[in-house]
Amino acid sequence: MEERTGYIESIRFRNEENGYTILTLVDEYGDELICCGTFPYIHQGEYALLEGEMVVHPVYGEQMKVVRYTPAAPKNKLVMERYLSSGAIKGIGRALAARIVKKFGEDTYEILEDQPERLAEVKGISEQKARDIAAQLLEQQEMRSAMLYLQQFGISLNLSAKIYQKYGNNVYKILQENPYRLAEDITGVGFKIADEIARKAGVAPEDAFRLESGLLYVLQQAAGEGHLYLPSSLLLPRAADMLGVEESLMSKPLMDLSIARKIICRARGEDAQVYLASAYYTELQTATLLRQLDRPVSVDPDRLEAYLEKGRLGEMELDELQCQAIRQAASNGLMVLTGGPGTGKTTTINGMISYFAGEKLDILLAAPTGRAAKRMAEATGYEARTIHRMLELAGNPEDPDSQAFGRDQDTPLEADVVIIDEMSMVDIYLMNALLKAIAPGTRLILVGDVDQLPSVGPGCVLRDVIDSGCVPVVRLTKIFRQAAQSDIVVNAHRINGGQPIALDNKSRDFFFLERNSAQVIEEGIVYLVRSKLPPYVKARPFDIQVITPMRKGLLGVENLNRVLQQHLNPPAPGKEEHPFREVVFREGDKVMQVRNNYQLEWEVRNEFDILADSGVGVFNGDMGVIRRVDPVGEELTVAFDDGRTARYPFRMLEELELAYAITIHKSQGSEYPAVVLPLLSGPSMLFYRNLLYTAVTRARKCITIIGSSRTVERMIENGNRQARYTGLKEQLKKLYEI
């Protein structure tokens, strides 16, 4: 074991989750040493004693593998001056550091530690600045102590920092009295982490705080499954089982949470609908705002009918249902247009836009994702944005995991008509934000295929609005002549109706390859994506999308991405890459954002590299390509499909996944020139009709299913939907007094 003492000149790399750090230590003689190890808390400029083993790295040469780190006092005036000017204390530069050391000499460190107010004796340091420096030093000491304290509970360094920033020195009291507060107050500290902390702190399994926190946790997990509430008959046994206690113990914490208004219980006979309070009030407000928008709008019937007659006879060739949809859109503040592929939704939207434009009305178009907005713009010839961009998403520095919008009740959207496409993807929270930004008197038209998969987030907004029977709805059913020539469209409708489809490969756009080995299917996918399909659909291999029901296994997303990356974007000289956990991110890789990030900055540059637009917010499902990996700056740059680029520090790479293969759920709202769909076997909860229907409708020119024909048949026969507990339909009926 060797020892080195010096100050931390620079931190080259730090993983904030586990504390692994690579740093440069400069000793009292000015010699540099690369050190690596795990440090619960460390700060550039600190003076420290490091103990460890000297090793020789094949690339970076001699370095110390640190096993123990102890803060130390600088030994002489020169080292003290280097320490002070290193940036360890804000407000002290090189010149001021020299004056401080000249004034106090060998006693400088003790003065800083014990009598920092004496710094005011130095020229250039006021009493206020001396107090600021003292506060910094105290905060650093307190944070170091708190971080070390939190380590004994197994909390990651990143979360430890969040906890300390939230509670400060109250962290000790909170962890002793009620560790479950962390799960309520801090994003990233879920029930399981809080429960483990509580266990180590000696909290009893039947403690009231634990039971209440467990109930809240089960409701939060249910939201992740799409539910807005759980029946108490399901919630109580699920919570009791998770907590390892008797179900009879759960009634009192349920009542206490209700009294505290953390949950809302709506009685339903002997059962009850149990909501998190935020979910209940969001759903109620959504219903109320929908009701306020749904009011008749005065139109000139003769002008409208004249327009529709022209539309019937002109290039649009509108049928009666499409005309009815335009009538409803013109004469109502709120209406829904739904229908499957090939039924003329886009033509109907264009008809609506043409009518409203002729009436000199301001129109806004939006969709949930960048890809869907881009498709909407291409289909209509009008600008279309994501809902988040239309609402002017702004970062929320107080809560990075929440969304804040520039458009709301106080600053509503300036439009006469708002048309939203791909509504099946909109969850209750985004719908609520949208409705708050639409002033009564503005027409809102919701368009989507109600038979697609529901939103990733909680709620089932489009289906609930339609099933309520309260809002004007037009469902297009006729498959138009051109669409009827596509077996993708025809088979999608047959699947949706539970009817068998032909798998005889007599089609020009719907193919099936019978394969009964996962290994053979994997090889077939590579052949299709790399060689067979690109020339057939006149697209690049990168444009061919593999979608699959599963994440795990040979035919799951994780394995297929590794395989396809190796064939489509292998390592090459001059092509930078960065390993992160089990994945290697390489320049040229196809990637997807896998969680909403409301703070990440993006920009759009024109062909002359001049900034054309900028903003914040990258969202779950956004896809792009890695344009640059910068190992020195420790970041990579992603160019998204809609023209935005964003830079990701290496510590944020958990938000990205390779996207050569994606799940069917992640493909919602997107359309690809060709789709490859592996289907071999799997549980009925993953292999059902609605999922197959969504997968098939993602293909524009060609879909190839590769796998078992019996699995395809079983999916068509399995009409079970993943039911969601939502109350929007019920709330609407109550408001409409139906």
Side-chain angles (χ1 to χ4, degrees):
M1 189 84 70
E2 297 199 29
E3 296 182 355
R4 291 288 190 278
T5 304
Y7 73 93
I8 313 302
E9 182 188 52
S10 64
I11 294 177
R12 297 187 171 196
F13 170 79
R14 181 164 175 81
N15 184 326
E16 294 297 345
E17 287 296 322
N18 59 25
Y20 181 77
T21 306
I22 302 174
L23 57 85
T24 302
L25 183 81
V26 176
D27 66 18
E28 56 190 301
Y29 305 108
D31 295 329
E32 294 186 359
L33 177 65
I34 303 299
C35 303
C36 58
T38 300
F39 302 86
Y41 178 85
I42 199 159
H43 197 283
Q44 185 169 311
E46 280 190 86
Y47 200 78
L49 167 65
L50 303 184
E51 300 173 64
E53 177 187 356
M54 299 303 298
V55 296
V56 178
H57 190 277
V59 176
Y60 302 109
E62 187 178 53
Q63 57 183 232
M64 175 183 276
K65 191 174 182 181
V66 179
V67 296
R68 187 176 295 110
Y69 150 80
T70 308
K75 293 181 179 178
N76 57 50
K77 290 191 287 185
L78 177 61
V79 174
M80 188 70 220
E81 192 172 319
R82 283 177 178 163
Y83 164 67
L84 288 175
S85 61
S86 68
I89 304 171
K90 292 178 183 177
I92 299 181
R94 184 169 298 174
L96 188 53
R99 291 203 298 274
I100 292 172
V101 173
K102 184 178 180 181
K103 171 70 177 175
F104 298 114
E106 302 289 346
D107 298 327
T108 299
Y109 192 79
E110 285 71 20
I111 294 292
L112 287 172
E113 287 271 293
D114 304 324
Q115 298 174 283
E117 68 279 357
R118 287 192 57 193
L119 291 172
E121 299 173 18
V122 178
K123 184 179 177 181
I125 300 181
S126 64
E127 290 186 7
Q128 180 60 51
K129 187 165 187 176
R131 285 194 291 269
D132 290 342
I133 292 171
Q136 281 188 61
L137 291 166
L138 179 61
E139 184 178 358
Q140 288 180 17
Q141 292 168 1
E142 290 176 344
M143 186 170 186
R144 182 186 291 110
S145 298
M147 297 287 276
L148 291 170
Y149 171 74
L150 291 168
Q151 295 312 292
Q152 66 182 297
F153 298 106
I155 304 172
S156 74
L157 295 174
N158 200 21
L159 281 181
S160 294
K162 276 188 179 182
I163 292 168
Y164 181 76
Q165 287 165 9
K166 175 70 176 178
Y167 299 127
N169 280 337
N170 288 327
V171 66
Y172 305 100
K173 181 180 178 183
I174 287 167
L175 262 64
Q176 289 166 5
E177 293 181 355
N178 178 16
Y180 296 98
R181 270 191 60 184
L182 275 64
E184 295 183 45
D185 295 345
I186 299 172
T187 303
V189 181
F191 170 79
K192 290 188 176 180
I193 292 175
D195 199 37
E196 180 62 18
I197 293 169
R199 185 187 66 78
K200 291 180 178 178
V203 174
E206 297 177 2
D207 182 88
F209 287 132
R210 181 172 187 264
L211 302 184
E212 290 179 12
S213 187
L215 283 168
L216 293 174
Y217 174 72
V218 172
L219 288 173
Q220 289 160 359
Q221 292 297 104
E225 299 165 9
H227 305 299
L228 281 165
Y229 73 85
L230 285 180
S232 58
S233 59
L234 180 62
L235 170 64
L236 296 181
R238 185 181 291 188
D241 182 64
M242 183 201 69
L243 293 166
V245 300
E246 294 294 327
E247 185 180 337
S248 59
L249 294 174
M250 302 309 302
S251 297
K252 185 179 185 303
L254 184 73
M255 184 182 299
D256 291 341
L257 287 170
S258 180
I259 292 170
R261 305 300 286 175
K262 291 182 179 180
I263 62 172
I264 304 295
C265 296
R266 300 181 68 208
R268 287 295 177 270
E270 295 182 1
D271 212 341
Q273 296 173 347
V274 185
Y275 287 80
L276 290 170
S278 59
Y280 174 78
Y281 290 115
T282 299
E283 189 177 71
L284 178 60
Q285 186 180 48
T286 299
T288 303
L289 293 171
L290 284 167
R291 182 69 182 94
Q292 290 174 0
L293 287 176
D294 188 12
R295 57 177 65 177
V297 179
S298 177
V299 296
D300 184 330
D302 294 333
R303 283 171 60 87
L304 177 57
E305 291 306 317
Y307 169 79
L308 293 175
E309 188 62 28
K310 184 179 177 182
R312 286 191 188 95
L313 301 174
E315 293 181 2
M316 288 188 183
E317 298 183 357
L318 300 170
D319 73 358
E320 182 51 38
L321 270 178
Q322 291 174 311
C323 289
Q324 180 62 23
I326 296 172
R327 288 191 192 96
Q328 294 282 15
S331 57
N332 289 285
L334 177 66
M335 71 89 57
V336 176
L337 174 67
T338 189
T343 57
K345 292 194 299 296
T346 298
T347 300
T348 308
I349 292 172
N350 283 330
M352 292 174 179
I353 292 171
S354 176
Y355 169 75
F356 289 130
E359 295 297 305
K360 311 297 184 189
L361 299 180
D362 292 326
I363 308 163
L364 289 178
L365 308 182
T369 67
R371 273 180 170 253
K374 186 177 180 181
R375 284 174 50 208
M376 193 181 191
E378 291 169 350
T380 63
Y382 273 69
E383 180 189 9
R385 293 175 286 175
T386 64
I387 298 173
H388 287 90
R389 288 188 72 181
M390 182 178 72
L391 297 180
E392 299 175 12
L393 176 74
N396 183 354
E398 294 184 4
D399 184 0
D401 295 292
S402 71
Q403 50 194 355
F405 295 102
R407 295 290 180 171
D408 53 21
Q409 301 99 316
D410 299 323
T411 53
L413 294 166
E414 296 169 6
D416 301 302
V417 181
V418 178
I419 303 176
I420 307 295
D421 199 8
E422 295 290 354
M423 264 301 301
S424 62
M425 298 180 66
V426 177
D427 65 34
I428 194 71
Y429 293 103
L430 185 56
M431 186 65 178
N432 183 250
L434 171 67
L435 292 172
K436 286 194 285 190
I438 298 178
T442 303
R443 293 177 175 88
L444 176 61
I445 299 161
L446 308 177
V447 184
D449 184 348
V450 73
D451 295 314
Q452 296 282 355
L453 291 171
S455 57
V456 174
C460 204
V461 174
L462 182 62
R463 179 168 293 280
D464 280 353
V465 171
I466 292 173
D467 290 350
S468 72
C470 301
V471 174
V473 176
V474 175
R475 180 187 283 268
L476 303 177
T477 54
K478 176 184 174 182
I479 303 177
F480 282 82
R481 183 175 63 253
Q482 185 175 355
Q485 297 172 3
S486 165
D487 286 316
I488 293 174
V489 172
V490 172
N491 284 339
H493 283 273
R494 292 186 67 83
I495 290 166
N496 197 35
Q499 300 173 298
I501 58 174
L503 300 175
D504 53 13
N505 289 327
K506 294 181 180 180
S507 169
R508 290 180 298 176
D509 62 5
F510 197 104
F511 303 104
F512 175 77
L513 302 177
E514 183 79 48
R515 302 287 187 272
N516 293 299
S517 160
Q519 184 65 47
V520 172
I521 293 173
E522 181 187 290
E523 293 169 0
I525 290 170
V526 172
Y527 173 67
L528 288 166
V529 173
R530 190 172 61 172
S531 306
K532 188 69 175 176
L533 290 175
Y536 187 73
V537 296
K538 296 180 175 59
R540 303 172 304 159
F542 263 48
D543 298 323
I544 313 302
Q545 189 60 55
V546 178
I547 58 179
T548 173
M550 302 174 295
R551 290 195 58 82
K552 303 293 184 180
L554 279 180
L555 302 181
V557 163
E558 295 174 5
N559 179 62
L560 289 177
N561 270 318
R562 283 191 291 269
V563 171
L564 289 166
Q565 181 192 42
Q566 189 62 33
H567 286 87
L568 299 180
N569 189 34
K575 187 184 288 185
E576 293 284 357
E577 60 182 45
H578 178 73
F580 182 78
R581 296 178 182 170
E582 304 300 319
V583 180
V584 173
F585 290 104
R586 186 174 297 133
E587 289 177 345
D589 272 337
K590 187 176 180 180
V591 291
M592 173 183 279
Q593 175 81 10
V594 294
R595 56 161 293 203
N596 290 339
N597 186 322
Y598 305 110
Q599 309 293 319
L600 188 60
E601 296 179 355
W602 53 261
E603 61 183 28
V604 177
R605 292 186 173 271
N606 63 21
E607 56 186 313
F608 305 107
D609 199 34
I610 297 172
L611 185 65
D613 194 8
S614 63
V616 296
V618 180
F619 303 101
N620 191 352
D622 286 353
M623 292 179 68
V625 174
I626 297 176
R627 292 300 182 206
R628 183 169 182 247
V629 175
D630 179 4
V632 177
E634 297 183 357
E635 65 177 20
L636 57 79
T637 302
V638 176
F640 291 100
D641 294 339
D642 57 4
R644 296 173 300 151
T645 61
R647 293 196 297 270
Y648 288 76
F650 286 168
R651 68 177 184 275
M652 286 176 52
L653 293 185
E654 62 191 16
E655 298 190 7
L656 289 176
E657 284 184 358
L658 295 177
Y660 301 98
I662 62 176
T663 62
I664 297 173
H665 282 85
K666 294 287 189 183
S667 73
Q668 285 177 267
S670 297
E671 191 177 74
Y672 311 97
V675 165
V676 178
L677 175 63
L679 294 174
L680 185 57
S681 62
S684 60
M685 62 181 293
L686 285 179
F687 284 67
Y688 54 97
R689 182 189 304 164
N690 194 217
L691 199 72
L692 179 60
Y693 172 74
T694 298
V696 168
T697 55
R698 299 307 91 203
R700 183 165 66 249
K701 295 181 179 179
C702 165
I703 183 167
T704 303
I705 301 175
I706 179 169
S708 163
S709 56
R710 181 61 191 130
T711 297
V712 176
E713 293 167 1
R714 282 201 301 266
M715 290 183 78
I716 296 172
E717 293 164 0
N718 183 6
N720 296 330
R721 293 180 180 273
Q722 290 184 317
R724 293 188 168 190
Y725 292 108
T726 64
L728 183 60
K729 169 184 168 182
E730 188 178 340
Q731 295 282 16
L732 283 169
K733 286 190 168 187
K734 185 177 179 181
L735 288 170
Y736 280 80
E737 298 181 347
I738 292 178

